[in-house]
Amino acid sequence: MNYKLSNFKKIINEEGYDNKLYTLITNLYHYMLEKEWMGACHATVSALYVILKEEGYSPEICIGEVKKDNFIFDHSWLILDKKIIDLAISMTLIDGIPMNAPVIFDIDVDTLTKNKMIYGVKGNGLDWQALAVINSTFNDYMDSFPFNKKGLWGVVEEILQHDIDINILKEKYNNTKRKLINDK
């Protein structure tokens, strides 16, 4: 589903950010829609993490379980300034229905209200896919993305809209770890 980009902009501006952050987030969101990135939360946050870091932001990359209503599922998201950014929630694989509109700084892009999901719940534990993600190195995960010849590094390059030196980025992000959140 394609949500109003004016709502993305409103949320980002109200948090005190400029159009640079808006452009980065919406460029990735458009890419996700174009490539039909269903169920690609781990890939989405990995690429967005590098994109934001390269542009001077300080996001945290998180993985855990999320609860919406009575449903709990494995997921990845970013935290920036102690607030959640989650584009992939709008393109989940759960029954082919989006779990929610994108979440930017804890705000549901569709309703412009605080999102109703609980991120980082203690559920049934991570499934094999999420465990594989959390147990692989960040670079291995970025390298192994099958839908771009440069892996997720190629996605980063497309969103930043300039050539990047992948070897330098690999060295820079070699020790990146996902933060497991399961304390709610």
Side-chain angles (χ1 to χ4, degrees):
M1 183 175 237
N2 201 347
Y3 296 93
K4 289 185 197 173
L5 294 180
S6 61
N7 287 356
F8 283 67
K9 188 176 190 94
K10 178 179 174 65
I11 295 165
I12 291 166
N13 288 343
E14 285 179 358
E15 283 295 316
Y17 287 94
D18 60 15
N19 286 337
K20 179 171 85 169
L21 182 61
Y22 166 78
T23 300
L24 296 169
I25 287 174
T26 56
N27 282 354
L28 181 58
Y29 182 65
H30 283 300
Y31 184 92
M32 293 166 59
L33 291 173
E34 179 185 312
K35 302 294 183 182
E36 298 178 355
W37 265 18
M38 300 300 291
C41 63
H42 307 307
T44 300
V45 300
S46 298
L48 187 56
Y49 175 81
V50 173
I51 291 163
L52 294 181
K53 291 287 282 185
E54 288 302 297
E55 292 298 314
Y57 301 98
S58 299
E60 289 179 82
I61 189 168
C62 303
I63 190 168
E65 292 174 287
V66 174
K67 181 177 182 181
K68 181 168 185 190
D69 302 323
N70 290 322
F71 191 71
I72 296 175
F73 55 98
D74 293 353
H75 197 56
S76 284
W77 63 93
L78 288 182
I79 295 177
L80 181 62
D81 291 336
K82 300 181 182 175
K83 295 185 178 179
I84 293 168
I85 295 179
D86 185 0
L87 301 178
I89 197 69
S90 66
M91 299 179 76
T92 61
L93 286 176
I94 303 162
D95 295 330
I97 301 168
M99 285 302 289
N100 206 76
V103 173
I104 302 194
F105 293 116
D106 292 339
I107 302 298
D108 179 306
V109 168
D110 190 35
T111 65
L112 293 175
T113 60
K114 183 162 178 9
N115 85 82
K116 298 193 180 345
M117 293 171 293
I118 303 169
Y119 288 79
V121 299
K122 289 184 182 182
N124 300 322
L126 298 177
D127 67 16
W128 68 270
Q129 290 174 314
L131 286 172
V133 171
I134 203 167
N135 289 321
S136 68
T137 68
F138 188 75
N139 285 352
D140 284 347
Y141 185 78
M142 293 288 287
D143 288 342
S144 67
F145 184 70
F147 303 112
N148 188 300
K149 65 182 178 182
K150 296 179 181 178
L152 283 168
W153 305 109
V155 175
V156 168
E157 187 172 59
E158 285 186 49
I159 301 307
L160 291 177
Q161 299 179 343
H162 60 76
D163 289 338
I164 59 174
D165 187 326
I166 292 173
N167 290 325
I168 289 174
L169 290 183
K170 284 182 181 185
E171 188 173 315
K172 188 174 183 179
Y173 295 101
N174 186 44
N175 295 319
T176 298
K177 302 283 186 219
R178 296 170 193 275
K179 181 177 181 180
L180 175 62
I181 300 182
N182 61 357
D183 58 358
K184 294 188 176 77

